[in-house]
């Protein structure tokens, strides 16, 4: 696939951790998108595609939600995927029991730690530590892989955050989560936070970034560069409010811009993106990075000419890498090269002196608000 990436890209030389892991939470946080409810079969389909993509960990759901949720998670576990299956749990024994009942590999225990979260739950910092550590012990005693997530971590007092993560580390938790619950941290803030935590925390650090200010991916990359090594993502960036770090954007940015190849089957990206779009009924914007309809579509005459001569002129990587296709379209910005390319595509031979006339009609038709699809072009040619 390396030959499908533009050799003209200048890869950033950065020191990333060597053990970067992706945990996809489309089936949990993604499904928490208002109005989205996935069926058992839909969840299983998405999990199978994530497994084929070679995502190491799938957060399959939140068992306490309902019996149907439990069944959906069990179905995924029983599929025998290579991906590890984990759940989300509150700091409650019944949640751990529900996860154990599902047969998952692990669970993420979360509890609010910021001043506003503590105020809502009427708990002191000490009470939160005691409650959390008891449940961590309980989950570890039952053989689960355990992540500990401080909800609203990025708005939590730093000294308290260090204290509760250190306590979790002492209890042999497998990783700690920085939850940017309302997407309120900046990339510079994330860098500082991770570096501060790394002074005391030696286990894995997971980044759960929300996109309220459009900085989820930047925050994730900044956190990785500062020493975190796990990122939670969702397909198409869906999730609560503005969503989460988009899976497709993160893995392709790492691969193309930073030279970090996590060995995913990226040619499945478009397929899984379209599947999630279909099941959630959340339309992918045409200009959505990586998977949008317009990402490999070219109309401008200058761009079409460049792409015909060398696709990397206006594409940083080949559409094949992510399961997309290049599409040269006609419109008011088109040039003669685009007309010739389209005619060659259809095997239509026409005199060279007729090209300007066809181009003129194409431009006029487009400026009148009409889309120049293949049938329209053929009609124009027939009238010449």
């Amino acid at each position: 696939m390396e030959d499908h990436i533009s050799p003209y890209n200048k890869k950033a030389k950065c020191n990333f951790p060597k053990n970067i892991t992706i945990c996809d939470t489309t089936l949990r946080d993604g499904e928490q998108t208002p109005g989205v409810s996935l069926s058992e079969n839909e969840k299983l389909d998405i999990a199978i595609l994530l497994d084929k993509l070679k995502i190491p960990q799938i957060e399959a759901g939140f068992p306490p939600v309902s019996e149907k949720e439990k069944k959906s998670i069990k179905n995924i576990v029983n599929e025998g995927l290579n991906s590890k299956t984990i759940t989300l749990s509150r700091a409650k024994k019944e949640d751990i029991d529900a996860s154990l009942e599902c047969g998952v590999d692990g669970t993420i225990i979360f509890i609010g730690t910021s001043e506003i979260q503590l105020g809502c739950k009427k708990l002191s910092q000490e009470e939160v530590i005691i409650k959390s550590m008891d449940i961590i012990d309980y989950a570890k005693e039952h053989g689960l892989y355990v992540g500990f997530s401080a909800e609203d971590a990025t708005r939590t007092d730093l000294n308290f955050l260090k204290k509760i993560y250190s306590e979790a580390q002492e209890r042999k938790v497998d990783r700690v989560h920085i939850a940017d619950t309302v997407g309120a941290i900046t990339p510079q803030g994330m860098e500082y936070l991770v570096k501060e935590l790394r002074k005391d925390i030696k286990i894995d650090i997971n980044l759960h970034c929300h996109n309220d200010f459009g900085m989820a991916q930047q925050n994730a990359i900044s956190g990785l560069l500062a020493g975190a090594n796990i990122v939670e993502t969702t397909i198409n960036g869906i999730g609560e409010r503005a969503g989460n770090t988009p899976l497709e954007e993160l893995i392709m940015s790492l691969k193309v811009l930073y030279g970090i190849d996590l060995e995913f089957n990226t040619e499945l990206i478009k397929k899984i993106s379209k599947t999630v779009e279909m099941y959630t009924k959340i339309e992918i914007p045409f200009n959505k990075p990586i998977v949008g309809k317009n990402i490999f579509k070219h109309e401008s005459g200058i761009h079409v000419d460049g792409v015909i001569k060398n696709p990397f002129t206006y594409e940083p990587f080949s559409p094949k890498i992510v399961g997309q296709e290049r599409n040269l379209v006609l419109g008011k910005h088109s040039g003669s090269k685009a007309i010739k390319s389209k005619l060659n595509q259809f095997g239509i031979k026409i005199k060279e002196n007729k090209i300007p006339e066809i181009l003129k009609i194409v431009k006029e038709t487009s400026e009148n608000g009409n889309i120049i699809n293949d049938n329209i072009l053929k009609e124009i040619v027939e009238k010449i």
Side-chain angles (χ1 to χ4, degrees):
M1 282 279 185
E2 198 63 36
D3 59 331
H4 293 312
I5 297 175
S6 172
Y8 303 101
N9 299 340
K10 301 296 182 183
K11 290 186 176 67
K13 294 182 179 179
C14 302
N15 293 319
F16 282 94
K18 293 181 180 178
N19 57 336
I20 295 175
T21 298
I22 302 296
C23 173
D24 190 81
T25 183
T26 301
L27 300 180
R28 199 278 299 169
D29 203 324
E31 197 192 21
Q32 288 177 204
T33 303
V36 172
S37 180
L38 300 170
S39 71
E40 293 173 30
N41 288 337
E42 288 169 347
K43 277 201 165 192
L44 184 58
D45 284 349
I46 293 169
I48 290 171
L49 283 172
L50 284 168
D51 185 60
K52 288 180 178 178
L53 189 62
K54 293 190 177 179
I55 297 300
Q57 297 178 1
I58 298 171
E59 191 177 353
F62 184 33
V65 166
S66 66
E67 287 303 315
K68 181 183 174 183
E69 180 83 344
K70 284 184 187 176
K71 189 176 178 185
S72 294
I73 296 168
K74 287 178 183 177
N75 288 343
I76 294 169
V77 171
N78 292 336
E79 191 67 21
L81 305 177
N82 291 314
S83 304
K84 299 296 183 184
T85 307
I86 60 178
T87 56
L88 183 71
S89 298
R90 295 166 295 183
K92 295 184 176 184
K93 285 187 178 181
E94 56 264 36
D95 284 19
I96 304 302
D97 290 338
S99 292
L100 290 166
E101 184 185 336
C102 292
V104 295
D105 298 292
T107 193
I108 301 161
I109 298 166
F110 78 96
I111 194 166
T113 54
S114 66
E115 185 178 350
I116 190 169
Q117 289 281 341
L118 295 176
C120 287
K121 294 175 176 61
K122 297 181 179 177
L123 292 171
S124 68
Q125 291 182 347
E126 197 57 39
E127 287 172 328
V128 165
I129 290 177
I130 293 170
K131 188 174 183 179
S132 303
M133 298 311 124
D134 285 347
I135 300 303
I136 287 172
D137 288 343
Y138 184 73
K140 292 298 293 182
E141 286 165 8
H142 285 79
L144 289 172
Y145 173 95
V146 179
F148 174 67
S149 179
E151 187 180 9
D152 209 15
T154 55
R155 298 194 299 177
T156 296
D157 175 77
L158 181 56
N159 289 328
F160 176 52
L161 195 61
K162 285 184 176 182
K163 183 177 181 181
I164 197 167
Y165 282 160
S166 294
E167 288 277 356
Q169 183 172 244
E170 287 294 317
R171 301 300 179 104
K172 307 299 181 185
V173 75
D174 294 281
R175 74 187 192 218
V176 294
H177 287 226
I178 298 174
D180 186 24
T181 303
V182 295
I185 202 168
T186 63
Q188 295 78 16
M190 183 65 85
E191 178 186 12
Y192 173 79
L193 177 58
V194 173
K195 284 183 175 178
E196 280 295 310
L197 292 173
R198 269 291 174 227
K199 293 176 182 178
D200 302 303
I201 305 303
K202 307 307 176 187
I203 57 175
D204 292 342
I205 294 180
N206 179 96
L207 304 166
H208 182 91
C209 302
H210 278 267
N211 206 33
D212 295 71
F213 290 90
M215 291 195 285
Q217 170 158 283
Q218 294 96 314
N219 286 333
I221 289 174
S222 184
L224 288 173
L225 286 169
N229 62 301
I230 303 175
V231 181
E232 287 188 311
T233 63
T234 58
I235 301 159
N236 298 338
I238 63 173
E240 296 274 5
R241 304 180 313 281
N244 298 262
T245 305
L247 171 67
E248 62 284 351
E249 294 179 27
L250 179 67
I251 63 179
M252 289 308 296
S253 293
L254 288 174
K255 182 181 178 72
V256 177
L257 303 179
Y258 293 97
I260 306 296
D261 189 350
L262 300 178
E263 299 185 350
F264 294 129
N265 291 327
T266 58
E267 65 275 9
L268 294 174
I269 283 177
K270 182 63 177 181
K271 181 177 180 179
I272 195 169
S273 172
K274 291 296 291 182
T275 300
V276 170
E277 178 186 45
M278 178 174 63
Y279 288 162
T280 61
K281 298 179 178 60
I282 299 174
E283 292 186 14
I284 302 169
F286 285 6
N287 64 338
K288 171 80 168 64
I290 313 300
V291 293
K293 196 173 182 178
N294 285 353
I295 302 307
F296 297 99
K297 184 180 285 187
H298 308 277
E299 178 189 322
S300 166
I302 296 171
H303 283 230
V304 169
D305 182 44
V307 167
I308 290 172
K309 291 173 179 174
N310 183 343
F312 292 139
T313 305
Y314 289 105
E315 293 173 359
F317 59 90
S318 167
K320 292 181 181 179
I321 295 183
V322 293
Q324 288 255 50
E325 292 182 0
R326 182 175 301 111
N327 190 4
L328 304 183
V329 300
L330 301 176
K332 66 176 286 186
H333 304 100
S334 295
S336 59
K337 295 286 177 62
I339 300 294
K340 290 178 183 178
S341 176
K342 277 291 183 182
L343 294 177
N344 287 335
Q345 181 183 326
F346 301 132
I348 298 174
K349 295 183 179 180
I350 199 164
K351 292 181 179 179
E352 185 73 23
N353 62 1
K354 294 293 183 181
I355 298 296
E357 189 177 349
I358 294 172
L359 179 59
K360 182 174 182 291
I361 296 172
V362 163
K363 287 177 175 286
E364 290 173 350
T365 305
S366 175
E367 287 180 324
N368 289 330
N370 298 305
I371 296 172
I372 311 297
N373 58 32
D374 294 344
N375 290 330
I376 295 294
L377 176 61
K378 289 174 183 177
E379 289 177 9
I380 292 171
V381 173
E382 288 172 2
K383 292 176 182 178
I384 296 299

